[in-house]
Each structure stands twice: as structure tokens, then as C-alpha cells.
Amino acid sequence: MSFQIPRGTQDILPGEVEKWQYVEQVARELCRRYNYQEIRTPIFEHTELFLRSVGDTTDIVQKEMYTFEDRGGRSITLRPEGTASVVRSFVENKMYGNPNQPVKLYYMGPMFRYERPQAGRFRQFVQFGVEALGSNDPAIDAEVVALAMEMYRSLGLKKLKLVINSLGDVESRKAHRQALIDHFKPRIGELCEDCQSRLEKNPMRILDCKKDRDHELMATAPSILDYLNDESRAYFEKVQAYLTKLGVEFEVDSRLVRGLDYYNHTAFEIMSNAEGFGAITTLCGGGRYNGLVEEIGGPETPGIGFALSIERLLAALEAEGISLPVSQGIDCFIVALGEKAKDESVILVNQLRQAGLSVEKDYQDRKVKAQLKAADRLNAKYVAILGDDELANQVINLKNMATGEQTEVPLNEFVQYVKKALE
Amino acid sequence: MSFQIPRGTQDILPGEVEKWQYVEQVARELCRRYNYQEIRTPIFEHTELFLRSVGDTTDIVQKEMYTFEDRGGRSITLRPEGTASVVRSFVENKMYGNPNQPVKLYYMGPMFRYERPQAGRFRQFVQFGVEALGSNDPAIDAEVVALAMEMYRSLGLKKLKLVINSLGDVESRKAHRQALIDHFKPRIGELCEDCQSRLEKNPMRILDCKKDRDHELMATAPSILDYLNDESRAYFEKVQAYLTKLGVEFEVDSRLVRGLDYYNHTAFEIMSNAEGFGAITTLCGGGRYNGLVEEIGGPETPGIGFALSIERLLAALEAEGISLPVSQGIDCFIVALGEKAKDESVILVNQLRQAGLSVEKDYQDRKVKAQLKAADRLNAKYVAILGDDELANQVINLKNMATGEQTEVPLNEFVQYVKKALE
């Protein structure tokens, strides 16, 4: 009997995993610079958290969650996204009482959605995201957008498109909502069933419909930007001004919406427009959610964040032909001939490792030639050869694989010698 | 309404998360030196994998797995341990055909067991583990044990006890099994029900029974070490000789067993004997499993590995009073006075970040005094103050927080100046 990996998931193997490590390191380094600190929340949460935060009319909640009962009979769900858990933790741990406001957090880890597996879509995927909770300063909106863009740019991506919009405050959204209803209601029968049910619940999401995208009512629909009150407009202008100051290029697209009720003001998406990237071009999405903390049981607290998929980031790198500077190869391989030398090589390997070097030896009882081949495959910078003769003379033969140069090194100087040679 | 974290899980928050990051970094660095490469497998697997590998008579499978049906009706289980998934991936990706043998892998990530939550036990916990697949060399057993010990030692732990044992090969185990049955059978009625059912299924696990631990039959039970055939004994002696060569201290304990059928030869555990560490003293467990790859559908392949819990490692560090050298604090905080200076500070913050510095500013419209306090709480090494006067003169006031020294720096030299000052 053999076993397969669950559909829609993937093993990340050596040869590929180094890219993930590199990208994650870049994300962590950027968060250090921007002063975002890591938070780790559990892989699963009580299901109600997502019903409340993601919203029970969304596709995620209705069709895509991994929801099950634990052995205690509680309904739990593998997290489909990161914001809900971070906000739950923010409230539960009373971080709103922290004198350092805003609380700036980042997370990185697997998320789960039961979707039809296809190129670029996995049922388990990894998100990197940040959340800044507690500030209503447009400068923090700009910071969050700039951090997302910097993530891509610092990896070398160039074919990017940043789109921003404002959903306004509660008052602006209300006015826009009514305008949308007035606009669509008379001819709602021409739109799909989903849109018909969205009309009263959340008319803004009609604009997001994939089926009716080309219907003429879409092009003529009232724009949120025409319904922003003075305060919301001033806020949006300030965000744009900061982005310009930061040298971040963007387009304003009044069609960019976020469906949930508590989203407001800034919304943004980053897309790849690299050729051959495929149909799903969105790399990152984010926005302001000033109502969410309250919804989850905390005090009124503004918040903004983004989430990006590492899988899509790697796909975008590939589409642009960018290879990451991941290091490969080991420092030294020790070839041993004969039983005594083999035993001695165990000690030498250990000494080199304790000195900080990446070292390998043979564990397959291979002949010298095969050991040398193994060293080659592992891309060893140095190969040391120890036979019974060398052992008797207390020396070891060291070869620099780049230059081919060979040296006989006294055994008691070996560790220091190799260490120096590698510097 | 407010939401709680699921029972038996934890949020790892800033202030605590830095320890995790540090420990993980040490683990990755050790794996680099020992030439183990990372593998990432999914959080869940088809349930059958664990039934087959962990074994359907174990507590884990019978009582502790998070098992559920996905929306496609397949039974999936959140991984309760790491080895099964690594071996599944090894087989599925035909790594046995890789010319680099043994295949040396490590993993680090959350595991899930539905246990009664108590000190030191979590329902979601993080394991770091390694697996070396493809070699039957006792030197690799010693390497794996040494790597586990090095992980603890390099973090400063001293109160450790390493216990090793040999379970022998199939022949040795068979002989021992029969001796155990002969020993226990006549008086099996005196032992608990679990032990009675273990007698025929897996008599070795009787030795592991917590209830009957003090029964006189336990002390007199035949030791596996007396039933090792010549080959198994030679193997075990070689492992011990290598450990001694590597300077790794150990005790042999013939009572140390691993219950599953495919375990053989080397078994080991590392325990903390720090005072006040608590009842659960095992930090790490490992051993050889030459039958597992075949069980999972691959060709006959020897394997050995260990797994250790990061939670317990951190608890052991605490019990020994060891604090990790985690860095905290930011490089620079920019205090801005007035609207113009505030806008300008956004640019300066960005420039410093692009130069690699960790930088923060105020996003709460705070007065100068409050901004200075914020800088203090963030442990800023430098505080730069920019007011409208400074802006008019194109300078900024920079204070070294360690020395109290203040300097007026031209704005166009600011980034280079701070960067240099931090070196």
C-alpha cells in the first residue's frame, strides 16, 4: 500500500524549500525595519470567530472552510485567513491597553481553503501578513502599502501594479449603498442570482461579480468616490499624498471593493502584470477595517493590514525569470579510506561542525571514487581525504574544489586551517 | 460577544515569540552544519497514513487524533507527529532514488494531539525533528543523537540525561518477545487490562505501563539486551563507541522501549533533570525504524530520527534559569513636531528603513513628550527630533540614548550619519 499527499496540498522539498526560507527571511527582515513584531496564533480557531469576522455570507465561510467537531464536540475550523485570529488575540490579550500604539504585528503561516485545486490555488497555502491596530493616521495606511510593495521590490519584482481605492467611512458607505440599490434595483432581474441576493444584503459586492462583469449596469454604476464625505475624501487624499512622498506608484480604481461591512477607507491590491503569470494576478490584498475589533468583542479600534500568498509571490518571481540568491553546497566533505580512518573521520566531521562549518561524510561504505562523487554532488567547497597512511603521519589531504589546489595539513591544525581557508 | 482561543492552544506574542525565533534559528543553523535539509509537509494527511505508521493500537491513534472528513468526504487528520509525513513524502517523491544517500531531512512545525491540557502539554505544539533515511551505518545513529544533544547544549542547557537502548533486529526482537510472553503469561492476571491485551499483541509495551510500573514482574522481566544476536550487539556497541568518540555522555537503559513493531536497534531519549522542571521530563525521543519506509509503500530502507518539542525545550531553559540572547529595541525613533515636520518624517523613516535600520515614528498625533516616552518604551538606540525650525534649517537633532549625547545633523547627511553611528 502506498500513500498520497492530500489533494490541493504540496510537499516543499529540498531544492525548492530554500526559496521559501529566503523569502521568509526577507519578510522578517522587512518587518524588523518597519517595526512589526511576529504573532503566532493556532492553526485552528472556534468556528464562530470566522463566521463573525470573515462573514457568513462569503464564499469562504459558505463553501471553503475546513470545519469539524473536535473530540469535545466543539466546532473548530482551520484558519482560512490570518486577520481574524490576530484580532481575536489582540482582544483576548487586551493589547489595546498596551501603551505602544499602534500595535504592529505580522504573521506567516499556513491557511486553509477547500477550493478546487488549480494552478496557483492550493487548499493549504502560506500567507504573510501584517496588521497595524490602534491608529487612524493616514501615514500608517501608506506604511502598510509601502511595506507590501517593498516586499516584492526587494525580491526584484518589477512588473507590479498597485491599485488603491477608498470605501469611505460609515456615512459615505451608507450613501453609496443607497445609490447602488437605486441603480441596480429597477433591472436587477438581468443580473445573476447571486447578485440578486446581494442587492439588499451587500450591494457593493455586486461590483465584484465575475458573471455579470460585462453587463452595462456595471460600467454605469455609481462610484464610491463620488459618495465620499469631506472627511473620507481628505483621508484618502492624505494617503495618496504619503504614497507619493514615499515614491510608491499607484492607480486609483473605484471598482476595487472589499465585501465585508466593517471594511472602510483604504483598500488596495497588488497585481502582477508579468506575461505568462496566469489568470490569477492578485498577489496581495489589504485594507482598513475600523469596525472589526469591536465586532470581535474589543473596544472601538481602527486597524489596517494586508495578506500576501507566498505561493503566488514565488510564481511571480518565476514569471519574471528572477532567481533568488539561495546558497547551496556544503563547506567540506571528508573522504575516509579504511576502518581506522573512517572512525577518525567521525571525530573530524564533528570538530568542523562545532567550528560552524557545514560538513558531510560518507555513511554508505562507499569506495573512494564514489565518495568523491558524493562530495561533488553536494557541491563541497573543500574535500579532505584521510587514509591509513595519512592517519599514521597525522596529516590529511585537503583539496580546494574551485582551484583544484591540494595541501597536506597536519591533523591538529586541520579545523583551523579549513575555517581560515573558507573565510 | 468575545472569542476565546481554543483550549490547549496558545498565542505566542511579541516578548515571547523572539525566544521561538531564536531557538528555531539555532535549529536551522545546526541542520546546516550537519547537512540536514528542510522538508515541509502539509498540516494534515489522509488518516490511513497515521493508522499505518503510528499504529492503530497506540494512544495517539485511539484517543488523541484530530480526525475529520473534508468536504469531499475523505478522512483527514491533523498530523500528530512528523515522521509519518516525512516518510510518506520520501516514498511519494521517490527520494530513495536520489544518489545522495542517506537523505537527511529536518522539519519544524505544529503537531496536534487532543490531550487533556496541563502544564507542558498542549493540543497544538511545535516539533523540531530530523530523519536520516537510507543508511545502516551506526555512525549515522551517533550523528542523530549528537545533533539532538548539540541542540540543547548550544542553548546552554546542562542538566540533561541521555538514555539509549537497543531493540535489536527482527530476530532479536522475536526472541525477546517470546521471553516476555513466557515471563508474564503465568501471572498476567495480576496486571492491568491494558497489559493483558498487550501480552499477545505487543508484550514489549507492558514494560512501558504506567499503572503496573512497580509490580515485581517488571523488575524481573527479561532484558532485550540479553536477547540481542551478535549482529545487533555489534551494532549497538559501535553506536556507543561513536558516541564516546564524539564526547556524548549517555546511560544504557534496557527499559527504554518504543512500542511500534518497525522500531529496531537504537532507541534514545533525552531528559531534563533540572529541579522544578516538572513531571514530564522527556525533552526528545528518537530511534531507528528500519521497517517504516516499506510499511508506507516504499522499498526496504533503513531510517533513524528524533523529534523534540520546542515548548519543552523552552520550559527546560526556564528551569535552568537560562535567558536567550534575543535582541530587542529599535535603531531609531523619529519625533516630529508640527504638520510639515510630520510629513517630512515619513520620508526620513522610509529612507532609514531602506538603509536597513529598524525605525519607528508616532502615528497617534502625540505631543513631543509622549513621543519621547514612546521612543523610550521601544528601547530606541537613537532618537531624532525634527521640528519646523530644524526643517527650515534643513537639520535634525539626533540623540544617542545610551550616552545622552546630542548632535545637529544636516538632513541630507542624516541617513548615512545614523547608519555609521550604529556600526
Side-chain angles (χ1 to χ4, degrees), chain A residues 1-6 9-14 17-18 20-21 24 28-29 32-35 37-46 48-49 52 61-66 68 70-72 76 78 88-89 92-93 95 99-102 104-106 110 112 114 124 134-135 137 139-140 143 150 238 242 245-246 295-297 330-331 342-343 346-347 350 353-354 356-360 363-364 366 377-378, chain B residues 1-6 9-14 17-18 20-21 24 28-29 32-35 37-46 48-49 52 61-66 68 70-72 76 78 88-89 92-93 95 99-102 104-106 110 112 114 124 134-135 137 139-140 143 150 238 242 245-246 296-297 330-331 339 342-343 346-347 350 353-354 356-360 363-364 366 377-378:
Chain A
M1 179 168 187
S2 83
F3 295 87
Q4 270 104 48
I5 195 171
T9 67
Q10 59 176 340
D11 291 327
I12 304 167
L13 306 179
V17 77
E18 295 79 11
W20 289 73
Q21 291 165 347
E24 287 167 5
R28 287 180 193 283
E29 166 60 13
R32 187 189 67 78
R33 295 183 189 182
Y34 283 73
N35 195 34
Q37 293 180 287
E38 191 181 3
I39 181 169
R40 303 188 183 184
T41 63
I43 293 292
F44 54 76
E45 298 275 353
H46 293 307
E48 307 95 76
L49 175 66
R52 181 61 70 99
V61 166
Q62 290 194 334
K63 302 178 197 163
E64 297 171 0
M65 294 209 305
Y66 280 91
F68 58 103
D70 70 13
R71 287 173 185 252
I76 60 178
L78 304 187
R88 193 264 311 138
S89 182
E92 193 169 2
N93 294 291
M95 291 188 220
N100 293 325
Q101 296 291 329
K104 293 166 64 174
L105 301 167
Y106 78 90
F112 306 85
Y114 191 83
Q124 173 177 333
S135 170
D137 188 334
I140 197 89
E143 174 180 283
E150 190 65 21
K238 199 82 191 164
Y242 278 128
K245 265 184 205 297
L246 295 176
E295 189 73 21
I296 301 302
I330 59 171
D331 293 324
K342 196 179 137 187
D343 284 3
V346 168
I347 297 174
N350 194 49
R353 285 172 177 166
Q354 297 208 321
L357 274 51
S358 159
V359 188
E360 194 51 287
Y363 292 104
Q364 307 296 98
R366 291 183 179 112
R377 275 193 304 266
L378 290 172
Chain B
M1 178 167 187
S2 83
F3 295 86
Q4 269 104 47
I5 195 170
T9 67
Q10 59 177 339
D11 290 328
I12 304 168
L13 305 180
V17 77
E18 295 79 10
W20 290 73
Q21 291 165 348
E24 287 167 3
R28 287 181 193 283
E29 165 62 11
R32 186 189 67 78
R33 296 183 188 183
Y34 282 73
N35 196 33
Q37 295 180 286
E38 190 179 4
I39 181 170
R40 304 188 181 182
T41 64
I43 293 292
F44 54 76
E45 297 274 355
H46 293 308
E48 308 96 73
L49 175 67
R52 180 62 69 99
V61 166
Q62 291 194 333
K63 302 180 200 163
E64 297 171 1
M65 293 209 307
Y66 281 91
F68 58 103
D70 70 13
R71 286 173 187 251
I76 60 178
L78 304 187
R88 193 264 311 137
S89 182
E92 193 168 4
N93 293 291
M95 292 188 220
N100 292 325
Q101 297 291 329
K104 295 166 65 174
L105 301 167
Y106 78 89
F112 306 85
Y114 191 83
Q124 172 176 334
S135 170
D137 188 334
I140 197 89
E143 175 181 283
E150 190 64 22
K238 200 82 190 159
Y242 279 129
K245 264 184 207 297
L246 296 176
I296 301 302
I330 59 171
D331 293 322
E339 274 310 302
K342 197 178 138 189
D343 283 1
V346 169
I347 297 174
N350 194 49
R353 286 172 177 167
Q354 295 207 323
L357 274 52
S358 159
V359 188
E360 194 51 288
Y363 292 103
Q364 307 296 99
R366 291 182 179 112
R377 276 194 305 266
L378 290 173

